[in-house]
Amino acid sequence: MKWKKRGQIFTVSKGFEEIVSHASNPVAVHLKNDIYRIFFSARNSFNKSSVSYVDINILTLEIVNNPHEVVFSYGADNSFYSHGVSIGNFYTHEEKNYILFMGWQIRENQHWKGEVGRLELLNKETLKLVPLKAFMVIDQEDSISLSYPWVTFHDGVYKMWYGSTLDWTSENGEMIHVIKYATSIDGENWVKHGVAIPYEIGIAQAFSKPSVIIDNGGYHMWYSYRSGNGTAYRIGYSHSDDGINWQQQHNKVGIDVSNSGWDSEMICYPFVFQHKNSSYMLYNGNNYGKNGFGIAILENDRF
């Protein structure tokens, strides 16, 4: 597997009240022809994130529409998304389009906490919180914090891979945040199955934002991960024959930081999608996407 980088294709425009920095967690929704609406999480001067979007021709990489506006904002002080909205993936359920997100909460004298919310996407532009409360909450299985989920419908079942914190610190000082697996018959009620991607302290122990493609070769997953040795986020890859038992194959991921420039220190938050028989990856670079996002295309179109 080899990804060919095509550069940073969107740069944050300064000077807008709720879009001071960042275009993190890019999620692509097809509009028409070669045009995709790419939703992302932007931050204001208080570091609170909201959802914005830009329309890009995925072949020419031309920006065809950039409204410079927020389409869904962080919530009230007592809400589960009071300090930010970090989006996960786009999927369809019962002819309705949804985007799941991690809602950030920061309470006084407490560690930040994440829970999962669900946004209904209307007319591929308007985002509506459905339900008004968290879609997936802290419970006995996931007792500390949740993060970016990925949902797909396959073999008559809704399948979800999501982030869960096991511990804020480990022996090397890095958090242990893993990717877990859940399934649902109706897309509303979920059965959790525990850790999906194996983790190892000092090798790969802090994961986030899974992105999954299923094809004749099985299940392919990309994600951000940190080793715990001080290295910033890298993009990792795991493979599974059944979506349950996964094997890390980070040596096969085919993408790494550049020698210089916007993604020379960090690459993170991948979103992999397919268009006209080609596979693309949107991703963020240095400082968690502070300046924007880029794109890469899979060479030879083989995972």
Side-chain angles (χ1 to χ4, degrees):
M1 181 171 16
K2 177 65 176 177
W3 295 92
K4 181 179 180 181
K5 294 181 178 180
R6 300 191 65 190
Q8 184 174 347
I9 61 172
F10 178 72
T11 303
V12 178
S13 300
K14 311 292 184 181
F16 298 91
E17 184 176 0
E18 292 297 324
I19 309 176
V20 172
S21 69
H22 290 79
S24 301
N25 318 110
V27 172
V29 177
H30 187 237
L31 288 184
K32 61 179 180 178
N33 302 323
D34 301 320
I35 308 299
Y36 278 79
R37 176 155 292 165
I38 301 177
F39 292 90
F40 58 87
S41 296
R43 300 187 193 182
N44 65 12
S45 58
F46 298 101
N47 220 29
K48 293 186 177 184
S49 56
S50 300
V51 183
S52 185
Y53 72 83
V54 61
D55 298 339
I56 296 180
N57 184 311
I58 212 68
L59 298 187
T60 67
L61 305 184
E62 175 190 5
I63 295 177
V64 298
N65 177 38
N66 185 6
H68 302 294
E69 65 181 20
V70 164
V71 290
F72 186 79
S73 298
Y74 55 87
D77 289 344
N78 62 348
S79 69
F80 74 93
Y81 58 109
S82 58
H83 285 74
V85 177
S86 296
I87 53 179
N89 86 311
F90 166 81
Y91 71 102
T92 299
H93 168 51
E94 294 185 348
E95 300 183 351
K96 293 183 178 181
N97 297 320
Y98 294 108
I99 292 178
L100 296 180
F101 70 91
M102 173 186 174
W104 294 80
Q105 307 167 53
I106 302 176
R107 303 292 182 249
E108 187 175 359
N109 300 320
Q110 297 181 33
H111 208 294
W112 58 262
K113 182 177 73 172
E115 291 184 307
V116 174
R118 185 175 69 177
L119 300 171
E120 183 179 356
L121 178 58
L122 305 171
N123 302 317
K124 294 187 177 180
E125 181 174 15
T126 303
L127 291 171
K128 178 182 178 182
L129 185 63
V130 180
L132 296 179
K133 60 183 181 180
F135 180 66
M136 190 173 178
V137 300
I138 299 300
D139 60 11
Q140 186 173 356
E141 170 67 26
D142 302 297
S143 61
I144 299 178
S145 185
L146 298 169
S147 74
Y148 322 96
W150 180 281
V151 171
T152 190
F153 185 74
H154 183 250
D155 287 341
V157 178
Y158 289 93
K159 302 179 180 182
M160 176 194 289
W161 293 271
Y162 66 97
S164 177
T165 302
L166 301 187
D167 201 333
W168 288 122
T169 60
S170 63
E171 52 261 45
N172 58 23
E174 172 68 275
M175 67 186 294
I176 304 175
H177 188 82
V178 301
I179 294 176
K180 292 187 175 183
Y181 179 52
T183 55
S184 174
I185 299 299
D186 59 8
E188 300 288 342
N189 301 287
W190 295 85
V191 177
K192 296 180 176 180
H193 305 288
V195 176
I197 305 300
Y199 68 94
E200 185 176 352
I201 303 299
I203 304 297
Q205 65 183 80
F207 300 80
S208 70
K209 202 174 187 293
S211 182
V212 180
I213 295 287
I214 306 171
D215 63 13
N216 292 333
Y219 293 70
H220 310 271
M221 183 190 296
W222 297 263
Y223 42 78
S224 310
Y225 78 97
R226 293 195 299 262
S227 62
N229 64 5
T231 302
Y233 267 136
R234 296 294 187 264
I235 292 174
Y237 168 77
S238 289
H239 177 267
S240 174
D241 292 328
D242 56 12
I244 300 172
N245 301 292
W246 293 83
Q247 180 183 11
Q248 281 187 22
Q249 298 180 356
H250 292 170
N251 61 322
K252 296 182 179 181
V253 69
I255 189 169
D256 204 346
V257 293
S258 298
N259 292 327
S260 62
W262 74 281
D263 63 349
S264 59
E265 301 170 3
M266 173 190 295
I267 51 174
C268 58
Y269 306 145
F271 181 90
V272 179
F273 65 103
Q274 296 173 309
H275 176 68
K276 289 187 174 179
N277 299 316
S278 293
S279 299
Y280 297 86
M281 178 191 290
L282 297 171
Y283 69 99
N284 289 123
N286 303 345
N287 297 309
Y288 309 95
K290 184 175 183 178
N291 296 318
F293 58 80
I295 194 168
I297 185 168
L298 186 67
E299 294 184 345
N300 301 321
D301 203 45
R302 294 183 61 184
F303 296 135

